[in-house]
Amino acid sequence: TKAKIIADQLKSLPYIKHIEPVETNILIFNINDDIGEAHFINLLDQEGIKIVSMGNKKLRIVTHLNFTDSMLNELLEKLKNLKI
């Protein structure tokens, strides 16, 4: 699934602390303790990426049926190049 592809990308990024097992189109992960949650969400928002906080630096990404391969590639590139 696309959520699993995103999870694989997140595993390689230094600002990710933990990723929960992906079973559906929902991806739940934690950012490192030294990163402000609001700051992280805002950085993604500036890149056109909308994610939801679940509190305590636990974040959620949900892919949609209409989330295309080109959208996935753009997301992966933006996550890789995000300046924290």
Side-chain angles (χ1 to χ4, degrees):
T1 68
K2 289 182 174 78
K4 287 183 180 180
I5 294 169
I6 298 166
D8 287 343
Q9 172 80 3
L10 289 176
K11 287 176 189 174
S12 71
L13 300 174
Y15 55 83
I16 301 300
K17 182 176 182 177
H18 172 76
I19 303 168
E20 294 187 11
V22 177
E23 297 179 12
T24 64
N25 66 323
I26 299 171
L27 172 66
I28 298 173
F29 64 99
N30 296 81
I31 54 175
N32 290 338
D33 293 335
D34 62 338
I35 300 171
E37 185 178 295
H39 173 69
F40 183 75
I41 291 171
N42 187 47
L43 286 175
L44 292 177
D45 187 50
Q46 290 174 17
E47 293 293 329
I49 302 168
K50 309 291 185 199
I51 66 171
V52 176
S53 168
M54 299 176 71
N56 296 321
K57 298 190 185 209
K58 184 178 275 193
L59 303 166
R60 183 175 78 151
I61 295 174
V62 178
T63 61
H64 185 272
L65 180 64
N66 296 329
F67 184 64
T68 66
D69 288 343
S70 66
M71 291 171 166
L72 173 64
N73 292 332
E74 182 179 343
L75 170 65
L76 296 176
E77 192 66 25
K78 287 180 178 183
L79 289 171
K80 183 173 75 171
N81 295 317
L82 195 63
K83 304 288 188 249
I84 303 284

